[in-house]
Structure formats: C-alpha cells, structure tokens
Amino acid sequence: MNREVTIEVPVKLVKKMSNAVKITEDFINEFEDFILSKDKKILDKIYKAREEHLSGCVKPLSELKNKYV
C-alpha cells in the first residue's frame, strides 16, 4: 500500500537547511575555481580565449550553438 505522508517541518529548520545548502554550493564553486586556477593547461586556454576576445576574434552565437548544442 502506497500512501503519501505529509509531515510538518518548522520554518526555522527549513531556513537552516536552505542556508547550509547555499554555504555548501558557495564552497564548491570557490574550491572548483581554486583547483582550476592551479591547472596551467586550463589557465593557458583561458588567457588565449581572453586575448582572442579582446582582439575581436569572436564567432556569432548561432555558429557556436550549431557546433556545441
């Protein structure tokens, strides 16, 4: 027998859980950035892409969508 059961959770507890999730997501994002910042191959690609962008070497969005989506 499958019955759905509903439980009441205090708003204070839900807010704490929401805050914990946000803190965890923030940590993961910052840690990922830190790890990537130590990878020379990735940094070289980022710097090269930035140089190309600043020099006007860009492609239309439609072309990129066709290639990657």
Side-chain angles (χ1 to χ4, degrees):
M1 172 192 313
N2 282 336
R3 282 188 340 172
E4 287 190 30
V5 177
T6 302
I7 60 169
E8 291 185 24
V9 179
V11 171
K12 184 177 178 180
L13 184 59
V14 173
K15 287 181 179 179
K16 282 184 178 182
M17 182 175 55
S18 176
N19 190 41
V21 169
K22 183 181 180 332
I23 290 169
T24 302
E25 287 174 345
D26 290 346
F27 168 78
I28 290 169
N29 289 334
E30 286 186 41
F31 189 67
E32 183 179 61
D33 290 347
F34 170 75
I35 295 298
L36 293 175
S37 74
K38 301 299 178 189
D39 188 323
K40 182 159 175 27
K41 288 180 184 178
I42 290 175
L43 288 176
D44 289 344
K45 288 181 180 183
I46 291 171
Y47 293 139
K48 182 180 181 227
R50 179 73 173 145
E51 287 175 15
E52 289 174 354
H53 178 257
L54 291 175
S55 70
C57 182
V58 295
K59 295 181 180 180
L61 180 59
S62 58
E63 184 180 327
L64 295 172
K65 281 183 176 179
N66 288 336
K67 183 174 181 179
Y68 296 107
V69 179

